[in-house]
Amino acid sequence: MSLDSDTLWAAFGLMLIFEGLMPFASPQGWRDKMAQLMVLQDGQIRFFGLVCILAGLLMLWWLG
């Protein structure tokens, strides 16, 4: 798999599309979820971030 700048920009564009779906489709639901996130401990947020990173790396490894 070749990772050139076009692929990187396409991946970034897709990420922005996915990130924008919830605020566009359900602004109030998105706001409620963000409020729930604010009460989580730092360790819980870090764990979720780590799981996302590992899932992304696993997907890249699987696709590569």
Coordinates of all heavy atoms in Angstrom, one line a residue:
M1 N 0.9 -1.2 0.0 CA 0.0 0.0 0.0 C 0.9 1.2 0.0 O 1.8 1.4 0.8 CB -0.9 0.0 1.2 CG -1.8 1.2 1.3 SD -3.0 1.1 2.6 CE -2.2 1.9 4.0
S2 N 0.7 2.1 -0.9 CA 1.4 3.3 -1.0 C 0.7 4.4 -0.3 O -0.5 4.7 -0.5 CB 1.6 3.7 -2.5 OG 2.2 5.0 -2.6
L3 N 1.5 5.1 0.6 CA 0.9 6.1 1.4 C 1.4 7.5 0.9 O 2.4 8.0 1.5 CB 1.2 5.9 2.9 CG 0.5 6.9 3.9 CD1 -1.0 6.8 3.8 CD2 0.9 6.6 5.3
D4 N 0.9 8.0 -0.1 CA 1.3 9.3 -0.6 C 0.4 10.4 0.0 O -0.5 10.1 0.7 CB 1.3 9.3 -2.2 CG -0.1 9.0 -2.7 OD1 -1.0 8.8 -1.9 OD2 -0.2 9.0 -4.0
S5 N 0.7 11.6 -0.4 CA 0.0 12.7 0.2 C -1.5 12.8 -0.2 O -2.3 13.2 0.6 CB 0.7 14.1 -0.2 OG 0.6 14.3 -1.6
D6 N -1.8 12.3 -1.4 CA -3.2 12.2 -1.8 C -4.0 11.3 -0.9 O -5.1 11.6 -0.5 CB -3.3 11.8 -3.3 CG -2.9 12.9 -4.2 OD1 -2.8 14.1 -3.8 OD2 -2.6 12.6 -5.4
T7 N -3.4 10.1 -0.6 CA -4.1 9.2 0.3 C -4.3 9.8 1.7 O -5.3 9.6 2.3 CB -3.2 7.9 0.4 OG1 -3.0 7.4 -1.0 CG2 -3.9 6.8 1.2
L8 N -3.2 10.5 2.2 CA -3.3 11.1 3.5 C -4.4 12.1 3.5 O -5.2 12.2 4.5 CB -2.0 11.7 3.9 CG -1.9 12.2 5.3 CD1 -2.1 11.1 6.3 CD2 -0.5 12.9 5.4
W9 N -4.5 13.0 2.5 CA -5.6 14.0 2.5 C -6.9 13.4 2.3 O -7.9 13.9 2.9 CB -5.3 15.0 1.4 CG -4.2 16.0 1.7 CD1 -3.0 16.0 1.2 CD2 -4.2 17.0 2.8 NE1 -2.2 17.0 1.8 CE2 -3.0 17.6 2.8 CE3 -5.2 17.4 3.7 CZ2 -2.7 18.6 3.6 CZ3 -4.9 18.4 4.5 CH2 -3.7 19.0 4.5
A10 N -7.0 12.3 1.5 CA -8.3 11.6 1.4 C -8.8 11.0 2.7 O -9.9 11.1 3.1 CB -8.2 10.5 0.3
A11 N -7.8 10.4 3.5 CA -8.2 9.9 4.8 C -8.6 11.0 5.8 O -9.5 10.8 6.5 CB -6.9 9.1 5.4
F12 N -7.9 12.1 5.7 CA -8.3 13.2 6.5 C -9.7 13.8 6.2 O -10.5 14.1 7.1 CB -7.2 14.4 6.4 CG -7.4 15.5 7.3 CD1 -7.4 15.4 8.7 CD2 -7.7 16.8 6.8 CE1 -7.6 16.4 9.5 CE2 -7.9 17.9 7.6 CZ -7.8 17.7 9.0
G13 N -9.9 13.8 4.9 CA -11.3 14.3 4.5 C -12.4 13.3 4.9 O -13.4 13.8 5.4
L14 N -12.1 12.0 4.8 CA -13.1 11.0 5.3 C -13.3 11.2 6.8 O -14.4 11.1 7.3 CB -12.7 9.6 5.0 CG -12.9 9.2 3.6 CD1 -12.2 7.8 3.3 CD2 -14.4 9.1 3.3
M15 N -12.2 11.4 7.6 CA -12.3 11.6 9.0 C -13.2 12.8 9.3 O -14.1 12.7 10.2 CB -10.9 11.8 9.6 CG -11.0 11.9 11.1 SD -9.6 12.8 11.8 CE -9.8 14.4 11.2
L16 N -13.0 13.9 8.6 CA -13.9 15.1 8.8 C -15.3 14.8 8.5 O -16.2 15.3 9.2 CB -13.3 16.2 8.0 CG -12.0 16.8 8.4 CD1 -11.6 17.9 7.4 CD2 -12.1 17.4 9.8
I17 N -15.6 14.0 7.5 CA -17.0 13.7 7.1 C -17.6 12.9 8.3 O -18.7 13.2 8.8 CB -17.0 12.9 5.8 CG1 -16.7 13.8 4.7 CG2 -18.4 12.3 5.6 CD1 -16.5 13.1 3.4
F18 N -16.9 11.8 8.8 CA -17.4 11.0 9.8 C -17.6 11.8 11.1 O -18.6 11.6 11.9 CB -16.6 9.8 10.1 CG -16.7 8.7 9.0 CD1 -15.6 8.3 8.3 CD2 -17.9 8.2 8.7 CE1 -15.7 7.3 7.3 CE2 -18.1 7.2 7.7 CZ -17.0 6.8 7.0
E19 N -16.6 12.7 11.4 CA -16.7 13.5 12.6 C -17.9 14.5 12.6 O -18.4 14.9 13.6 CB -15.4 14.3 12.8 CG -14.3 13.4 13.3 CD -14.5 12.9 14.7 OE1 -15.0 13.6 15.6 OE2 -14.1 11.8 15.0
G20 N -18.3 14.9 11.4 CA -19.3 15.9 11.2 C -20.7 15.3 11.1 O -21.7 16.0 11.2
L21 N -20.8 14.0 11.0 CA -22.2 13.4 10.8 C -23.1 13.6 12.0 O -24.2 14.0 11.9 CB -22.0 11.9 10.5 CG -21.6 11.5 9.1 CD1 -21.4 10.0 8.9 CD2 -22.6 12.0 8.1
M22 N -22.6 13.3 13.2 CA -23.4 13.4 14.4 C -23.8 14.8 14.7 O -25.0 15.0 15.0 CB -22.7 12.7 15.6 CG -22.9 11.2 15.7 SD -24.6 10.7 15.7 CE -25.2 11.4 17.2
P23 N -22.9 15.8 14.7 CA -23.4 17.2 15.0 C -24.4 17.6 14.0 O -25.3 18.4 14.3 CB -22.1 18.0 15.0 CG -21.0 17.0 15.1 CD -21.5 15.7 14.6
F24 N -24.2 17.2 12.7 CA -25.2 17.6 11.7 C -26.5 16.9 11.8 O -27.6 17.6 11.7 CB -24.6 17.3 10.3 CG -25.5 17.6 9.2 CD1 -25.7 19.0 8.8 CD2 -26.2 16.7 8.5 CE1 -26.5 19.3 7.8 CE2 -27.1 17.0 7.5 CZ -27.2 18.3 7.1
A25 N -26.5 15.6 12.1 CA -27.7 14.8 12.2 C -28.5 15.1 13.4 O -29.7 15.1 13.4 CB -27.4 13.3 12.0
S26 N -27.8 15.2 14.6 CA -28.5 15.3 15.8 C -27.7 16.3 16.8 O -26.9 15.8 17.6 CB -28.6 14.0 16.5 OG -29.2 14.1 17.8
P27 N -27.8 17.6 16.6 CA -27.0 18.5 17.4 C -27.2 18.4 18.9 O -26.3 18.4 19.7 CB -27.4 19.9 16.9 CG -28.3 19.7 15.7 CD -28.6 18.3 15.6
Q28 N -28.5 18.2 19.3 CA -28.8 18.1 20.7 C -28.2 16.8 21.3 O -27.7 16.8 22.4 CB -30.3 18.1 20.9 CG -30.7 18.2 22.4 CD -30.1 19.4 23.1 OE1 -30.2 20.5 22.6 NE2 -29.5 19.2 24.3
G29 N -28.3 15.7 20.6 CA -27.8 14.4 21.0 C -26.3 14.5 21.1 O -25.7 14.0 22.1
W30 N -25.6 15.2 20.2 CA -24.2 15.4 20.2 C -23.8 16.2 21.4 O -22.8 15.9 22.1 CB -23.7 16.0 18.9 CG -22.2 16.2 18.8 CD1 -21.3 15.3 18.4 CD2 -21.5 17.4 19.1 NE1 -20.1 15.8 18.4 CE2 -20.2 17.1 18.8 CE3 -21.9 18.7 19.5 CZ2 -19.2 18.1 19.0 CZ3 -20.9 19.6 19.7 CH2 -19.6 19.3 19.4
R31 N -24.5 17.3 21.7 CA -24.2 18.1 22.8 C -24.4 17.3 24.1 O -23.6 17.5 25.0 CB -25.2 19.3 22.8 CG -24.9 20.4 23.8 CD -25.8 21.6 23.8 NE -25.5 22.3 22.6 CZ -26.4 22.5 21.6 NH1 -27.6 22.0 21.6 NH2 -26.1 23.2 20.5
D32 N -25.4 16.5 24.2 CA -25.6 15.7 25.4 C -24.4 14.7 25.6 O -24.0 14.6 26.8 CB -26.9 14.9 25.4 CG -28.1 15.8 25.4 OD1 -28.0 17.0 25.8 OD2 -29.2 15.3 25.0
K33 N -24.0 14.1 24.6 CA -22.9 13.2 24.7 C -21.6 13.9 25.1 O -20.8 13.4 25.9 CB -22.6 12.4 23.4 CG -23.7 11.4 23.1 CD -23.8 10.4 24.2 CE -25.0 9.5 23.9 NZ -25.2 8.6 25.1
M34 N -21.4 15.1 24.6 CA -20.2 15.9 24.9 C -20.2 16.3 26.4 O -19.2 16.3 27.1 CB -20.1 17.1 24.1 CG -19.7 16.9 22.6 SD -18.1 16.0 22.5 CE -18.6 14.4 21.9
A35 N -21.4 16.6 26.9 CA -21.6 16.9 28.3 C -21.3 15.7 29.2 O -20.6 15.8 30.3 CB -23.0 17.4 28.6
Q36 N -21.7 14.5 28.7 CA -21.3 13.2 29.5 C -19.8 13.0 29.5 O -19.3 12.5 30.4 CB -22.1 12.0 28.9 CG -23.6 12.0 29.1 CD -24.2 10.9 28.4 OE1 -23.6 10.1 27.7 NE2 -25.5 10.8 28.6
L37 N -19.2 13.3 28.3 CA -17.7 13.1 28.2 C -17.0 14.0 29.2 O -15.9 13.7 29.8 CB -17.3 13.5 26.8 CG -16.9 12.4 25.9 CD1 -16.6 12.9 24.5 CD2 -15.7 11.6 26.4
M38 N -17.5 15.2 29.5 CA -16.9 16.2 30.4 C -16.7 15.7 31.8 O -15.9 16.1 32.5 CB -17.6 17.5 30.3 CG -17.6 18.2 29.0 SD -15.9 18.5 28.4 CE -15.4 19.8 29.5
V39 N -17.6 14.7 32.2 CA -17.5 14.3 33.6 C -16.7 13.0 33.8 O -16.5 12.6 34.9 CB -19.0 14.0 34.2 CG1 -19.8 15.2 34.2 CG2 -19.6 12.9 33.4
L40 N -16.1 12.5 32.7 CA -15.2 11.3 32.8 C -13.9 11.7 33.3 O -13.4 12.9 33.2 CB -15.0 10.7 31.4 CG -16.2 10.0 30.8 CD1 -15.9 9.5 29.4 CD2 -16.7 8.9 31.6
Q41 N -13.2 10.8 34.0 CA -11.9 11.0 34.5 C -10.9 11.0 33.4 O -11.1 10.4 32.3 CB -11.6 9.9 35.5 CG -12.5 9.8 36.7 CD -12.4 11.1 37.6 OE1 -11.3 11.6 37.8 NE2 -13.5 11.5 38.1
D42 N -9.7 11.6 33.6 CA -8.7 11.6 32.6 C -8.3 10.2 32.2 O -8.1 10.0 31.0 CB -7.5 12.4 33.1 CG -7.7 13.9 33.2 OD1 -8.7 14.4 32.6 OD2 -6.8 14.6 33.8
G43 N -8.2 9.3 33.1 CA -7.8 8.0 32.8 C -8.8 7.3 31.9 O -8.4 6.5 31.0
Q44 N -10.1 7.5 32.1 CA -11.1 6.9 31.2 C -11.0 7.5 29.8 O -11.1 6.7 28.8 CB -12.5 7.2 31.8 CG -12.8 6.5 33.1 CD -14.0 7.0 33.8 OE1 -14.2 8.2 33.9 NE2 -14.9 6.1 34.1
I45 N -10.8 8.8 29.7 CA -10.6 9.4 28.3 C -9.4 8.9 27.7 O -9.4 8.5 26.5 CB -10.6 10.9 28.5 CG1 -12.0 11.4 29.0 CG2 -10.3 11.5 27.1 CD1 -12.0 12.8 29.3
R46 N -8.3 8.7 28.4 CA -7.0 8.2 27.8 C -7.2 6.8 27.4 O -6.7 6.4 26.3 CB -5.9 8.3 28.9 CG -5.3 9.6 29.0 CD -4.0 9.6 29.7 NE -3.4 10.9 29.8 CZ -3.5 11.7 30.9 NH1 -4.0 11.2 32.0 NH2 -3.0 12.9 30.9
F47 N -7.9 6.0 28.2 CA -8.2 4.6 27.8 C -9.0 4.5 26.5 O -8.6 3.7 25.6 CB -8.9 3.8 28.9 CG -9.2 2.4 28.5 CD1 -8.2 1.4 28.5 CD2 -10.5 2.0 28.2 CE1 -8.5 0.1 28.2 CE2 -10.8 0.7 27.8 CZ -9.8 -0.2 27.8
F48 N -10.0 5.3 26.3 CA -10.8 5.4 25.1 C -9.9 5.8 23.9 O -10.0 5.2 22.8 CB -12.0 6.3 25.3 CG -12.8 6.4 24.0 CD1 -13.6 5.4 23.7 CD2 -12.8 7.5 23.2 CE1 -14.4 5.4 22.5 CE2 -13.5 7.6 22.1 CZ -14.3 6.5 21.7
G49 N -9.0 6.8 24.2 CA -8.1 7.2 23.1 C -7.2 6.1 22.7 O -6.9 5.9 21.5
L50 N -6.6 5.4 23.7 CA -5.7 4.3 23.4 C -6.5 3.2 22.6 O -5.9 2.6 21.6 CB -5.2 3.7 24.7 CG -4.3 2.5 24.6 CD1 -3.0 2.8 23.8 CD2 -3.9 1.9 25.9
V51 N -7.7 2.9 23.0 CA -8.5 1.9 22.2 C -8.7 2.3 20.8 O -8.5 1.5 19.8 CB -9.8 1.6 22.9 CG1 -10.7 0.7 22.1 CG2 -9.6 0.9 24.3
C52 N -9.0 3.6 20.6 CA -9.1 4.1 19.2 C -7.9 4.0 18.4 O -7.9 3.6 17.2 CB -9.6 5.6 19.3 SG -11.3 5.7 19.8
I53 N -6.7 4.4 19.0 CA -5.4 4.3 18.3 C -5.1 2.8 18.0 O -4.7 2.6 16.8 CB -4.3 4.9 19.2 CG1 -4.5 6.4 19.4 CG2 -2.9 4.5 18.7 CD1 -3.6 7.0 20.4
L54 N -5.3 1.9 18.9 CA -5.0 0.5 18.6 C -6.0 0.0 17.5 O -5.5 -0.8 16.7 CB -5.1 -0.3 19.9 CG -4.1 0.0 20.9 CD1 -4.3 -0.8 22.2 CD2 -2.7 -0.3 20.4
A55 N -7.2 0.4 17.6 CA -8.2 -0.1 16.5 C -7.8 0.5 15.2 O -7.8 -0.3 14.2 CB -9.6 0.3 16.9
G56 N -7.3 1.7 15.1 CA -6.9 2.3 13.9 C -5.6 1.6 13.3 O -5.5 1.3 12.1
L57 N -4.7 1.3 14.2 CA -3.5 0.6 13.8 C -3.8 -0.8 13.3 O -3.2 -1.2 12.3 CB -2.5 0.6 15.0 CG -1.8 1.9 15.3 CD1 -1.0 1.7 16.6 CD2 -0.9 2.3 14.2
L58 N -4.7 -1.4 14.0 CA -5.1 -2.8 13.6 C -5.8 -2.7 12.2 O -5.5 -3.6 11.4 CB -6.1 -3.4 14.6 CG -6.5 -4.8 14.3 CD1 -5.3 -5.8 14.4 CD2 -7.6 -5.2 15.3
M59 N -6.6 -1.8 12.0 CA -7.2 -1.6 10.7 C -6.2 -1.4 9.6 O -6.3 -1.9 8.5 CB -8.3 -0.5 10.7 CG -9.5 -0.8 11.4 SD -10.7 0.6 11.6 CE -11.0 1.0 9.9
L60 N -5.2 -0.5 9.8 CA -4.2 -0.2 8.8 C -3.4 -1.4 8.6 O -3.0 -1.7 7.4 CB -3.3 1.0 9.3 CG -4.0 2.3 9.3 CD1 -3.0 3.4 9.9 CD2 -4.3 2.7 7.9
W61 N -3.0 -2.2 9.6 CA -2.3 -3.4 9.5 C -3.0 -4.4 8.6 O -2.5 -5.0 7.7 CB -1.9 -4.0 10.8 CG -1.2 -5.3 10.7 CD1 0.1 -5.5 10.4 CD2 -1.8 -6.6 11.0 NE1 0.3 -6.9 10.4 CE2 -0.8 -7.5 10.8 CE3 -3.1 -7.0 11.3 CZ2 -1.1 -8.9 10.9 CZ3 -3.3 -8.3 11.5 CH2 -2.3 -9.2 11.3
W62 N -4.3 -4.5 8.9 CA -5.2 -5.5 8.2 C -5.3 -5.1 6.7 O -5.3 -6.0 5.9 CB -6.5 -5.6 8.9 CG -7.5 -6.6 8.3 CD1 -7.3 -7.9 8.3 CD2 -8.7 -6.3 7.7 NE1 -8.4 -8.5 7.7 CE2 -9.3 -7.5 7.3 CE3 -9.4 -5.1 7.5 CZ2 -10.5 -7.6 6.6 CZ3 -10.7 -5.2 6.8 CH2 -11.2 -6.5 6.4
L63 N -5.5 -3.8 6.5 CA -5.6 -3.4 5.1 C -4.3 -3.4 4.3 O -4.3 -3.4 3.1 CB -6.2 -2.0 5.0 CG -7.7 -1.9 5.5 CD1 -8.1 -0.4 5.6 CD2 -8.6 -2.6 4.6
G64 N -3.2 -3.3 5.0 CA -1.9 -3.2 4.4 C -1.4 -4.6 4.0 O -0.9 -5.0 3.1

